[in-house]
Amino acid sequence: MEPTLMRHKPFCDIKNLHVSFHGRTVLQKVNLTLSDSGILVLVGSSGSGKTTFLRSLNRLNEHYSGYSGGGKIELKLSGSMQDIHCPDLEVTELRRQVGMVFQTPNVLPVSIAQNINLPLKLVTGLDKAEREGRLIEVLQEVHLWDEVKDRLKENSARLSGGQQQRLCLARVLALKPKVLLLDEPTASLDFKASHKIEDLLIELQDRYQIIAVSHSLRQARKIAGQILVMKEGQIEHLLKKDQFENPEMLQKLLEDIF
Amino acid sequence: MEAFLQYATVFSALIVLILFGFLTYFTLPLFAEGQFAELFSLHWRPFHGEFGILPMISGTLALAISALLIAYPLGLGICLFVHGLGPRWLARPTLLLVHGMTGIPTVVYGFVAVFLLVPLLRNNFSHGSGFSLLAAALTLSILILPTIILLINSQLEHIVPKLRLTTTALGISRIHELTRISLPAASYGLLSAAILGFGRAVGDTLIALMVAGNAAQIPEFAFDSIRTLTAHIALVVATDSQSTTYHSLFACGLILFLTTASVNLLLHRIKHRTCRETDCE
Amino acid sequence: MNKLLNFGIYCWSWIATLGVFLVVGLLLFYLLSQGLPTIGKELFFGDAPAWKAILGQVRVWDALWPACVGTLFLVLIAALLAVPLGISSGIYLACFAPKSVKRILSLLVELLAGTPSIVMGLFGFAMILFLRNTFFPNANTSLLLSSVCLALLILPYLIFTTQAALESLSDEYLLIGPSLGFNQIQTVFHVLIPAAGRGILSGVVLSIGRAAEDTAVIMLTGVIANAGLPQGLLGKFEALPFRIFYLAAEYRTSAELDSAYGTALVLLSLTGILYGGAFALHKTLELRWNQH
């Protein structure tokens, strides 16, 4: 089965992607063309390969020992489709353009401002004034500015979990990515903080191509433009908005996952 | 930057090879001069041209083994105490005490032994001065005790919490759980604690030097005065300066180095075998 | 029979634990009761006026001051030599070394860690003999030689603690850097090292404690009983642990014995503070990472 959705322009084209760690297959023969129609949400039981799929897109799997894999992935980065394994594309540059936010908020053990400043300084080489501007811009973008503008020099570990996660999001946005990967971004947050992040993602979906792993169907239905169901390292379904809003389809989805 | 770090590491790693080279280089003349056989004679009488180090080798072995024989059961008992045989509120203070013991300088243990333990032995048993194999073994056992406890404990810490709920639900008593299930599962810790404890006992200088009496003779009895290889090196460097005595010193150093190196190689092998079996790393 | 054995094991665990509490308690009580009364200006400076002694204007006899200064210099120079090398090596092994290389290098460092300190001292002594026979006929044991040998002794500890502090960081933490487009060097220096900082620092403190207490190394490489304040890097020196050893064996008067008790108490407090500090740093590190 090779699900495609050609209603809008494609932004991601995957051919024969396979990944294994220490000889154990995690993803097998994934063929997929994704088009730009809102947030793409990955669902599936644990061990179905969601996180590995996500990390294939910014080549973060290669950071682990025992990795082996292959296949071709093209992403729409600067206007045109680009092969992410192409030697002309530095892996650090790829990861800058394909930003990632993790399950637990992993702020750096420095001040709030430094969390955004340091990557900017190291990766983009912007001057001080530009960095200041970018800092304010992204903190406003994630609605954190009003909460932290008076304590930018404070240690970021003192923020609440939800604030930390939005700071991590801001840190990624500051690097002006084209694609945003989110690995269960609300898994470690409480109900209220999760809602804030979800609303934020809906706001951001026009500016960035967002791909998120979610552990909650409620969340998937709320934010998704399309849902990708994974099972045992393969793509099981690709559902359009009208499909998963239909109760019958949803029932089938539930059966597939659990 | 990465290259700099790499050079630093290679340099750090090479030191031990350079050390080995130096010790061998200075021992070599003994072979050339045909004095190697004399080295393994029973008598150390430098002024008569006799440089036997067998008494020191046997002294080292006797002391290390007896210290281990005292410390190991103690260590095992304390580990069982911490993991369930003692009251829960005493477990943490006990471990804290053991950690604290690692911070007490060796020379302080030796010092207190000289003024507390040695007179005690001298006055209660009418055998010599009290500076003896027994006194040194008792003191040394306290020195190596934390090493043994912390190694066994670090393994039990992983094993016991996983098992406790299951075994309790099965109605297995605490003592059966510890002796029949947890300890056998901690065999790597048990073995490596014994090996490392022995290695530390062989390598210690100060306690042997201060408490064991330093007579170069084969030990036959717990109250005998003995001399270890380590103490021998310290004593000879402090007093003699003949070249032949020096060469025999380096032979002592080489023997010590080879012993502790074998201990570490053995530990390394056990660790990697355990790793392969349990699929860690 | 089985019941009896179990009861025996149970009793033994109590006897062993209480016994160790008793022994350590006795040791501390003995040192405190004998050593505390001797603590005072006299212990440190003898008959000499304190300020003049500290400024080095008068020579201090039969007192602790020269040994304190000796140990301080010894430990500082050893740390200065070993800390940069040890931390660099630890970083390389934890973050950069390919697996096969890492195995060999770690094994060699483990062998160095297992080397008895008297053998390290003998190595220093051998270097002097070597230098005498080759380039410097006048080479002799000295403060510098002792510091170098002590540095070699504490180097493996520094490497292991640095490596362990870095390797104990959580998997996700290792991914922050790459996910932001950092290269490996940037990740290590801007993300991992700041996060592992406390663990590395605790290793440094621990190794300083180790250097301050070791006696066997310096015995063979330049410490003597009545050197006074260290006269430069190539001079002889005094040190606290050696003073304890020396007085325990060679004391002639009860005043010297009292001074030995005082010295033992001072050294014990010093290492106690250093080890306690290292332990506390290590614990706060664990707490911080367990909060996630």
Side-chain angles (χ1 to χ4, degrees):
Chain A
M1 186 167 67
E2 195 172 328
T4 49
L5 194 77
M6 297 297 291
R7 197 169 50 188
H8 307 282
K9 282 185 196 157
F11 79 94
C12 173
D13 191 39
I14 297 170
K15 288 207 176 70
N16 200 21
L17 172 68
H18 56 95
V19 175
S20 62
F21 290 105
H22 295 288
R24 205 170 52 84
T25 304
V26 181
L27 286 181
Q28 46 181 336
K29 286 196 195 135
V30 173
N31 286 296
L32 188 66
T33 304
L34 292 167
S35 57
D36 175 12
S37 47
I39 298 175
L40 174 75
V41 177
L42 295 172
V43 296
S45 58
S46 65
S48 59
K50 300 173 303 228
T51 298
T52 305
F53 178 78
L54 206 62
R55 289 180 184 173
S56 297
L57 300 180
N58 64 350
R59 295 178 57 185
L60 209 53
N61 286 322
E62 295 164 30
H63 204 72
Y64 283 99
S65 68
Y67 164 85
S68 71
K72 188 176 178 187
I73 301 177
E74 286 186 317
L75 281 177
K76 195 160 111 188
L77 293 177
S78 29
S80 62
M81 297 293 275
Q82 220 170 343
D83 181 354
I84 68 167
H85 295 97
C86 165
D88 293 341
L89 182 63
E90 284 273 352
V91 67
T92 51
E93 174 62 18
L94 168 76
R95 288 172 183 160
R96 193 182 70 69
Q97 296 198 29
V98 183
M100 182 161 210
V101 175
F102 295 89
Q103 202 165 15
T104 41
N106 47 13
V107 292
L108 297 168
V110 289
S111 72
I112 296 170
Q114 265 309 88
N115 253 285
I116 293 169
N117 236 324
L118 184 71
L120 274 180
K121 197 161 119 192
L122 291 177
V123 178
T124 63
L126 292 177
D127 68 33
K128 199 157 182 274
E130 286 174 303
R131 290 204 304 266
E132 293 272 300
R134 191 76 72 86
L135 173 85
I136 298 169
E137 182 188 320
V138 291
L139 282 176
Q140 282 170 342
E141 201 171 5
V142 301
H143 306 306
L144 201 57
W145 177 246
D146 292 331
E147 294 160 54
V148 302
K149 66 180 174 206
D150 301 322
R151 48 184 184 136
L152 288 172
K153 295 266 184 301
E154 248 178 57
N155 193 322
S156 52
R158 295 173 64 178
L159 295 173
S160 74
Q163 286 172 323
Q164 286 191 18
Q165 194 62 309
R166 278 184 284 151
L167 180 61
C168 290
L169 193 57
R171 184 173 71 190
V172 171
L173 296 183
L175 299 174
K176 301 264 180 217
K178 303 289 184 300
V179 181
L180 209 50
L181 307 175
L182 306 158
D183 190 355
E184 302 199 18
T186 63
S188 65
L189 302 181
D190 62 37
F191 187 71
K192 229 175 161 179
S194 301
H195 266 280
K196 249 188 180 150
I197 300 268
E198 285 159 10
D199 293 337
L200 183 59
L201 293 180
I202 294 170
E203 255 180 71
L204 294 175
Q205 65 176 327
D206 297 329
R207 272 170 279 171
Y208 309 93
Q209 182 59 54
I210 298 177
I211 304 179
V213 169
S214 177
H215 59 294
S216 132
L217 271 180
R218 179 202 59 77
Q219 184 178 65
R221 284 182 63 190
K222 177 175 169 190
I223 64 174
Q226 44 190 341
I227 293 181
L228 195 62
V229 185
M230 294 194 64
K231 192 176 180 182
E232 288 164 11
Q234 285 179 311
I235 307 294
E236 193 78 2
H237 297 289
L238 181 61
L239 304 168
K240 290 174 281 181
K241 190 127 187 138
D242 48 334
Q243 285 174 305
F244 61 78
E245 281 183 339
N246 167 347
E248 260 172 55
M249 271 314 285
L250 188 70
Q251 187 59 40
K252 182 161 172 27
L253 190 65
L254 281 169
E255 280 164 15
D256 273 337
I257 295 173
F258 302 107
Chain B
M1 190 65 207
E2 193 180 332
F4 168 77
L5 295 175
Q6 190 179 3
Y7 294 144
T9 317
V10 170
F11 179 74
S12 305
L14 283 181
I15 289 169
V16 78
L17 297 180
I18 297 171
L19 190 153
F20 179 64
F22 259 87
L23 289 180
T24 316
Y25 172 78
F26 279 97
T27 313
L28 278 182
L30 280 182
F31 290 94
E33 293 163 24
Q35 287 166 320
F36 192 66
E38 282 174 36
L39 199 60
F40 291 97
S41 86
L42 289 175
H43 301 287
W44 173 263
R45 274 178 288 197
F47 298 110
H48 297 87
E50 290 184 274
F51 302 104
I53 58 169
L54 265 191
M56 283 55 112
I57 295 176
S58 57
T60 293
L61 283 179
L63 178 59
I65 290 171
S66 34
L68 192 63
L69 283 180
I70 301 168
Y72 198 79
L74 276 174
L76 210 53
I78 293 170
C79 283
L80 293 179
F81 185 89
V82 167
H83 285 284
L85 296 192
R88 192 175 283 186
W89 61 269
L90 253 179
R92 279 181 67 91
T94 307
L95 279 180
L96 207 63
L97 175 82
V98 175
H99 274 289
M101 284 170 77
T102 60
I104 300 177
T106 318
V107 69
V108 170
Y109 279 121
F111 181 79
V112 173
V114 167
F115 292 103
L116 272 186
L117 181 64
V118 170
L120 193 80
L121 293 177
R122 183 166 47 215
N123 298 334
N124 287 308
F125 307 89
S126 48
H127 294 282
S129 64
F131 290 97
S132 58
L133 170 60
L134 179 64
L138 286 170
T139 317
L140 192 54
S141 70
I142 298 296
L143 183 78
I144 62 174
L145 191 59
T147 309
I148 293 172
I149 296 176
L150 292 176
L151 255 175
I152 301 179
N153 180 60
S154 68
Q155 253 218 316
L156 284 182
E157 256 176 4
H158 288 283
I159 295 169
V160 172
K162 277 188 219 159
L163 289 174
R164 182 126 305 167
L165 202 61
T166 323
T167 53
T168 313
L170 289 170
I172 297 172
S173 72
R174 191 63 41 97
I175 195 158
H176 275 134
E177 174 217 305
L178 284 169
T179 54
R180 305 292 153 77
I181 304 170
S182 299
L183 278 188
S187 59
Y188 163 65
L190 293 175
L191 190 61
S192 59
I195 297 172
L196 198 66
F198 178 77
R200 287 219 48 188
V202 167
D204 172 76
T205 309
L206 259 284
I207 294 200
L209 188 59
M210 293 174 88
V211 195
N214 296 323
Q217 57 183 1
I218 305 271
E220 290 168 354
F221 187 54
F223 290 96
D224 281 351
S225 166
I226 60 151
R227 185 189 281 199
T228 62
L229 287 167
T230 51
H232 183 63
I233 295 174
L235 287 166
V236 174
V237 170
T239 53
D240 286 301
S241 55
Q242 284 172 277
S243 66
T244 334
T245 49
Y246 277 166
H247 295 319
S248 87
L249 270 193
F250 288 110
C252 292
L254 195 59
I255 292 172
L256 276 173
F257 176 79
L258 291 177
T259 312
T260 51
S262 333
V263 160
N264 278 287
L265 284 174
L266 195 61
L267 276 178
H268 193 78
R269 283 203 57 165
I270 296 172
K271 192 160 122 197
H272 278 278
R273 183 173 306 160
T274 320
C275 269
R276 266 205 306 278
E277 278 168 10
T278 55
D279 204 30
C280 66
E281 269 191 314
Chain C
M1 192 58 217
N2 209 336
K3 260 192 178 152
L4 203 65
L5 180 68
N6 283 345
F7 185 68
I9 294 174
Y10 182 76
C11 288
W12 176 248
S13 81
W14 273 89
I15 293 169
T17 309
L18 296 184
V20 169
F21 268 100
L22 196 72
V23 166
V24 176
L26 196 65
L27 182 143
L28 292 180
F29 174 76
Y30 181 70
L31 277 183
L32 283 172
S33 66
Q34 302 286 327
L36 266 187
T38 70
I39 301 281
K41 184 193 146 290
E42 190 126 328
L43 175 71
F44 286 93
F45 302 108
D47 300 329
W51 277 111
K52 286 195 168 171
I54 289 173
L55 294 172
Q57 289 168 346
V58 283
R59 167 115 198 221
V60 177
W61 292 101
D62 294 326
L64 219 48
W65 179 244
C68 290
V69 178
T71 288
L72 182 72
F73 278 134
L74 194 64
V75 164
L76 280 183
I77 300 168
L80 216 61
L81 295 170
V83 168
L85 195 59
I87 292 183
S88 310
S89 306
I91 293 170
Y92 180 76
L93 287 176
C95 306
F96 294 97
K99 221 170 184 178
S100 53
V101 176
K102 181 174 170 176
R103 216 168 199 186
I104 297 168
L105 294 180
S106 309
L107 179 64
L108 289 174
V109 176
E110 273 171 43
L111 289 184
L112 187 66
T115 306
S117 56
I118 192 88
V119 174
M120 213 64 92
L122 194 61
F123 178 42
F125 190 68
M127 284 197 275
I128 288 298
L129 291 184
F130 180 73
L131 286 178
R132 274 188 203 159
N133 293 339
T134 50
F135 311 110
F136 304 102
N138 294 323
N140 209 338
T141 55
S142 65
L143 178 62
L144 181 64
L145 182 70
S146 281
S147 306
V148 169
C149 292
L150 271 185
L152 299 185
L153 190 75
I154 60 175
L155 181 66
Y157 292 87
L158 288 161
I159 297 176
F160 290 150
T161 45
T162 303
Q163 194 185 347
L166 287 166
E167 285 176 351
S168 68
L169 295 175
S170 72
D171 259 6
E172 279 210 342
Y173 212 87
L174 302 181
L175 294 180
I176 302 181
S179 79
L180 291 170
F182 291 9
N183 60 34
Q184 178 71 350
I185 293 274
Q186 288 169 332
T187 302
V188 169
F189 283 91
H190 294 282
V191 182
L192 304 185
I193 290 179
R198 267 166 197 272
I200 296 173
L201 192 63
S202 105
V204 171
V205 177
L206 194 72
S207 62
I208 286 178
R210 192 81 184 71
E213 67 144 310
D214 197 275
T215 324
V217 169
I218 57 177
M219 264 163 76
L220 270 55
T221 51
V223 76
I224 54 171
N226 285 306
L229 292 174
Q231 306 294 322
L233 283 176
L234 296 178
K236 305 281 186 195
F237 62 98
E238 294 183 37
L240 288 173
F242 184 73
R243 190 176 154 82
I244 299 170
F245 164 73
Y246 176 79
L247 287 178
E250 317 259 330
Y251 72 96
R252 285 154 310 190
T253 62
S254 68
E256 280 191 346
L257 185 58
D258 283 344
S259 169
Y261 284 116
T263 314
L265 193 59
V266 169
L267 181 65
L268 184 65
S269 319
L270 180 70
T271 55
I273 291 168
L274 289 171
Y275 276 75
F279 191 68
L281 277 172
H282 193 77
K283 279 286 151 192
T284 55
L285 176 86
E286 277 181 8
L287 274 183
R288 229 172 97 196
W289 294 110
N290 287 340
Q291 272 169 359
H292 276 285

